[in-house]
Amino acid sequence: MVKHIILWKLKDDIEDKEAVKAGIKEGLEGLVGQVPGLLDVKVNINGLDSSTADAMLDSTFEDVESLKNYKHHPAHVAVADSKVRPYTAVRSCLDFIV
């Protein structure tokens, strides 16, 4: 299995960050069952005040090939282009084999 972890910092000028974070969570967690090889998705949007990121994606894939295919899958691209990319200033990623 492969873990795909993302941390996002939202843009400073967003008026309703809670609504944006909720949209990211709903969109990404809704991909389970739509993207082959995507086993699990959890999005945490309730960081403590000590956090330097606004949201975290913790996803699990069957294998490296499934992760590669996820990047270009139309359902993922639609969520990323509508709910994530327009609102994020910083993205950090760590992928690893479990």
Side-chain angles (χ1 to χ4, degrees):
M1 288 192 302
V2 172
K3 294 295 278 186
H4 175 62
I5 309 295
I6 304 284
L7 293 172
W8 291 286
K9 177 77 176 149
L10 298 180
K11 293 178 179 176
D12 289 334
D13 63 349
I14 295 172
E15 289 183 26
D16 191 350
K17 287 188 178 186
E18 294 308 312
V20 169
K21 292 190 298 185
I24 291 171
K25 179 177 178 66
E26 178 184 1
L28 291 172
E29 289 181 353
L31 293 174
V32 175
Q34 294 188 56
V35 179
L38 175 59
L39 303 175
D40 185 52
V41 175
K42 292 182 182 78
V43 177
N44 190 314
I45 58 173
N46 298 312
L48 299 175
D49 290 340
S50 57
S51 299
T52 59
D54 295 302
M56 181 192 79
L57 167 70
D58 178 353
S59 53
T60 307
F61 292 84
E62 288 179 1
D63 51 30
V64 173
E65 193 64 29
S66 297
L67 174 59
K68 288 179 185 177
N69 292 334
Y70 167 79
K71 181 178 181 180
H72 302 290
H73 191 280
H76 170 251
V77 171
V79 171
D81 285 349
S82 66
K83 297 187 180 287
V84 181
R85 291 184 182 121
Y87 305 104
T88 55
V90 178
R91 175 188 180 273
S92 297
C93 174
L94 178 66
D95 299 327
F96 56 95
I97 295 175
V98 182

